[in-house]
């Protein structure tokens, strides 16, 4: 019996097979090698942040102008029509037939894909506005530009190689969580079986006032990982501006030491993760990344 118990413990710690990138999250999640911290650790992390975050939110107008309750949905695209087309075919019916949050603007930010892609996008009649750059600004440049132009209290950000697979509204659920927990700056919405990663720091499951269960993700010791990220997230715009805007960097290839993804997720994350925490809502991860896309030509 002891041997069986040890074997089962090892299995629980062993990461999923090499195809985890193509798998959705399990229910309950397979935490694997993740660092599951105690409620006491969570309390300490929250206490270090809550008062400061609450003060930032109470004086949000010092950091940026925004329309209360408004959500600015930003889709970032770069020369991959077939993946953007797939995304559009999933989000178009969802926001017409399922998502009922009304104070929403939908924006495409395109990094120099050309007229053909833009004309194809227009035929779907989904976006309220198109921001089309003649020159490729890179991921960081394009997002820095649009984060400063939208006026939503929240930004819902998605890249063009995702698909939305969900059958119920989720925006109000996210806003309710933000309203109750000032230290939650960002909610992660990606449905991928990657909870097992060793650098994860995940606090015990909690339930907010409306009955929504969620986990709090805490920064790693170097503050580089586990909170701020790209992909498919919803975050407070004030949390971004209170941290400071993204840096100005040239458009470099993906093979460069400090490519745009590294600067966005890790270098900027060091600053963002100092004050803010992330949430993962139980059974609310609408966006899937099929991971079957070719590298965007924009990276070259």
């Amino acid at each position: 019996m002891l041997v069986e118990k040890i074997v089962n413990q090892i299995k629980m710690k062993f990461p999923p097979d090499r195809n985890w990138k193509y798998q959705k999250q399990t229910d309950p999640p397979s935490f694997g090698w993740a660092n599951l911290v105690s409620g006491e650790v969570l309390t300490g992390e929250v206490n270090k942040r809550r008062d400061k975050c609450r003060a930032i939110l109470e004086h949000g107008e010092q950091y940026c102008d925004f329309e209360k309750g408004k959500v600015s949905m930003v889709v970032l695209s770069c020369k991959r029509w077939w993946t953007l087309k797939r995304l559009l075919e999933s989000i178009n019916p969802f926001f017409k037939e399922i998502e009922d949050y009304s104070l929403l603007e939908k924006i495409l930010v395109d990094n120099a894909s050309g007229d053909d892609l833009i004309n194809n996008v227009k035929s779907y009649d989904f976006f309220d506005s198109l921001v089309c750059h003649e020159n490729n600004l890179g991921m960081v440049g394009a997002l820095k530009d649009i984060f400063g132009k939208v006026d939503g209290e929240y930004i819902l950000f998605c890249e063009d190689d995702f698909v939305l697979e969900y059958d119920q509204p989720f925006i109000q659920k996210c806003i309710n969580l933000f309203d109750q927990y000032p230290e939650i700056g960002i909610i992660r919405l990606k449905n991928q079986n990657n909870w097992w990663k060793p650098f994860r720091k995940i606090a015990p499951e909690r339930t907010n006032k409306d009955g929504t269960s969620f986990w709090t993700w805490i920064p790693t010791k170097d503050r580089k990982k586990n909170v701020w990220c790209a992909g498919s997230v919803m975050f407070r715009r004030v949390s971004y501006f209170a941290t400071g805007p993204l840096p100005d960097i040239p458009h470099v290839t993906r093979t460069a030491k400090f490519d745009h993804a590294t600067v966005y997720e890790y270098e900027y994350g060091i600053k963002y993760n100092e004050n803010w925490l992330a949430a993962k809502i139980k059974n609310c991860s609408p966006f899937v990344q099929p991971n079957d896309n070719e590298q965007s030509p924009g990276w070259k």
Side-chain angles (χ1 to χ4, degrees):
M1 292 294 292
L2 178 60
V3 172
E4 182 180 355
K5 181 178 180 180
I6 293 173
V7 169
N8 289 334
Q9 288 176 340
I10 293 173
K11 286 181 178 179
M12 287 296 292
K13 285 289 185 181
F14 201 80
D17 63 45
R18 68 183 63 187
N19 294 320
W20 67 267
K21 288 185 177 181
Y22 305 94
Q23 300 169 357
K24 297 178 182 179
Q25 293 172 4
T26 57
D27 181 22
S30 174
F31 291 109
W33 287 344
N35 183 3
L36 302 182
V37 303
S38 66
E40 289 76 14
V41 170
L42 172 63
T43 298
E45 295 286 348
V46 169
N47 288 343
K48 287 191 297 185
R49 295 169 168 82
R50 178 163 289 179
D51 288 345
K52 184 175 182 179
C53 293
R54 182 181 285 115
I56 289 172
L57 298 174
E58 287 176 352
H59 300 91
E61 69 280 355
Q62 296 180 2
Y63 301 97
C64 64
D65 296 325
F66 60 85
E67 183 177 344
K68 182 69 176 175
K70 186 174 183 178
V71 176
S72 298
M73 179 178 180
V74 173
V75 174
L76 179 64
S77 174
C78 185
K79 301 181 180 179
R80 286 190 296 202
W81 166 241
W82 79 272
T83 58
L84 178 58
K85 179 176 182 288
R86 181 172 61 185
L87 173 63
L88 276 167
E89 290 175 348
S90 66
I91 60 178
N92 201 5
F94 178 84
F95 282 95
K96 287 182 177 179
E97 301 168 11
I98 297 175
E99 179 57 64
D100 55 3
Y101 193 80
S102 60
L103 201 53
L104 175 71
E105 63 174 347
K106 304 181 291 293
I107 305 160
L108 176 72
V109 177
D110 182 72
N111 256 336
S113 295
D115 292 341
D116 287 346
L117 182 143
I118 298 304
N119 289 333
N120 287 335
V121 167
K122 289 179 180 177
S123 69
Y124 279 80
D125 192 29
F126 175 78
F127 293 104
D128 299 306
S129 59
L130 306 176
V131 178
C132 307
H133 297 291
E134 293 184 4
N135 299 311
N136 191 340
L137 304 183
M139 176 184 184
V140 172
L143 292 180
K144 179 178 182 178
D145 176 75
I146 195 62
F147 291 171
K149 289 179 177 177
V150 298
D151 61 356
E153 183 178 5
Y154 308 97
I155 292 178
L156 174 61
F157 170 48
C158 180
E159 295 178 85
D160 65 1
D161 59 344
F162 279 78
V163 177
L164 196 154
E165 294 184 359
Y166 207 53
D167 60 0
Q168 55 187 295
F170 66 87
I171 291 179
Q172 186 63 59
K173 184 178 292 188
C174 292
I175 292 175
N176 291 347
L177 198 66
F178 283 129
D179 285 344
Q180 187 173 341
Y181 301 94
E183 70 279 359
I184 298 295
I186 188 168
I187 296 174
R188 306 182 67 164
L189 299 168
K190 183 178 180 179
N191 190 346
Q192 218 76 38
N193 190 16
N194 62 1
W195 290 49
W196 57 269
K197 290 184 177 181
F199 64 80
R200 300 277 186 232
K201 291 178 68 176
I202 304 173
E205 181 180 337
R206 293 186 285 170
T207 302
N208 74 353
K209 292 177 181 178
D210 70 1
T212 298
S213 297
F214 69 100
W215 291 269
T216 307
W217 289 24
I218 296 171
T220 51
K221 188 174 182 180
D222 60 8
R223 302 196 307 276
K224 281 191 174 184
K225 298 177 180 177
N226 223 28
V227 178
W228 177 258
C229 66
S232 49
V233 295
M234 185 168 165
F235 62 92
R236 304 179 191 265
R237 191 157 166 263
V238 168
S239 75
Y240 165 77
F241 278 100
T243 301
L246 289 161
D248 293 314
I249 62 172
H251 180 211
V252 295
T253 67
R254 188 102 194 222
T255 57
K257 182 178 180 180
F258 291 105
D259 64 70
H260 278 238
T262 299
V263 170
Y264 187 88
E265 291 210 354
Y266 301 137
E267 298 304 314
Y268 184 78
I270 291 175
K271 297 190 296 180
Y272 188 89
N273 298 346
E274 185 171 346
N275 289 328
W276 306 94
L277 298 178
K280 284 280 286 186
I281 298 176
K282 188 173 184 178
N283 297 323
C284 182
S285 298
F287 292 95
V288 178
Q289 189 174 31
N291 284 302
D292 59 355
N293 56 289
E294 298 178 1
Q295 182 171 287
S296 169
W299 281 114
K300 301 176 182 179

